[in-house]
Amino acid sequence: MAKKTVATLQGKSKRLTKAIKMVKSPKTGAYTFVESVMAPEVVNDWLSKK
């Protein structure tokens, strides 16, 4: 039988936030979604950037 492996984080874990932003393409005019995982403190700066 195969063994099931479960990954665990060792030590201190950081709190992260996944932010999703909708960006309009200047070439086609279509909207795309940009995802990023970052610390909660920098989310507002990332969302305000163009």
Side-chain angles (χ1 to χ4, degrees):
M1 293 185 85
K3 290 186 179 181
K4 185 176 181 181
T5 312
V6 177
T8 59
L9 295 174
Q10 300 291 325
K12 295 181 182 179
S13 63
K14 289 188 174 183
R15 205 178 91 190
L16 298 174
T17 303
K18 181 177 184 179
I20 303 171
K21 176 168 54 170
M22 194 165 68
V23 179
K24 187 174 183 178
S25 171
K27 187 176 181 182
T28 63
Y31 285 96
T32 58
F33 293 95
V34 179
E35 298 179 12
S36 182
V37 177
M38 64 195 78
E41 296 83 29
V42 296
V43 172
N44 289 334
D45 295 334
W46 184 75
L47 288 174
S48 65
K49 277 195 272 181
K50 253 191 167 179

